[in-house]
Amino acid sequence: MPIKPENRARYPADWTEIRAAILLRAGNRCEWPGCCAVNHAVGYWEGPNFTQICMKDEAASMDVEAADLADGFKVIEIVLTIAHRDHIPEHCDPANLAAWCQRHHLAYDQDHHTINAYMTRKAKANNLELPL
Ligand SMILES: [Zn+2]
């Protein structure tokens, strides 16, 4: 997940180094159990399995379009992101961080996003209820 601009100041100054260390620990693969999607691999999801066609830097030199190789599946590039298991950007203990592909990071954060969206809607609704 990209860092939201409003949260950027909550990340430590050495976030770039912390992120690199977590990717190194993960061997540049998604750390979600059962997922071995590789950072910058190009391919497609078929159920729970990712099929790698090539790496991003190879895609441009391929004779065949990657989409043709995927035969109807949506071709994507895996982008590993660093997740905070407790959703607190300041908490950068390695045990709290995980390198996850976008699919698994989103799956993990889904409940958190749902609650945040609800709270945002509620706050906006309350603002509309303020007396003039
Ligand atoms: Zn994954």
Side-chain angles (χ1 to χ4, degrees):
M1 309 290 294
I3 297 172
K4 292 180 180 176
E6 63 269 26
N7 285 338
R8 190 166 299 280
R10 297 179 64 190
Y11 284 75
D14 61 345
W15 174 248
T16 300
E17 290 78 18
I18 293 170
R19 180 182 183 282
I22 298 302
L23 289 173
L24 184 65
R25 176 188 77 189
N28 233 17
R29 294 177 178 270
C30 178
E31 294 183 302
W32 191 270
C35 180
C36 290
V38 176
N39 206 15
H40 303 300
V42 175
Y44 57 92
W45 289 101
E46 186 174 5
N49 302 312
F50 184 76
T51 299
Q52 181 176 323
I53 299 170
C54 64
M55 296 301 289
K56 181 184 178 187
D57 59 355
E58 300 167 340
S61 63
M62 291 180 67
D63 291 337
V64 184
E65 289 288 323
D68 293 337
L69 297 172
D71 196 23
F73 289 95
K74 182 180 178 187
V75 175
I76 63 157
E77 175 192 350
I78 296 294
V79 179
L80 295 184
T81 55
I82 307 303
H84 291 79
R85 295 177 190 271
D86 64 0
H87 306 288
I88 300 173
E90 294 88 347
H91 185 193
C92 294
D93 184 286
N96 188 47
L97 302 175
W100 285 335
C101 70
Q102 57 269 55
R103 171 184 260 206
H104 292 117
H105 199 157
L106 285 170
Y108 185 83
D109 284 352
Q110 187 170 13
D111 288 346
H112 183 69
H113 288 308
T114 300
I115 291 168
N116 281 347
Y118 169 77
M119 296 304 283
T120 300
R121 284 193 306 274
K122 187 174 178 180
K124 286 181 180 175
N126 287 341
N127 284 342
L128 294 176
E129 294 170 5
L130 289 174
L132 296 176

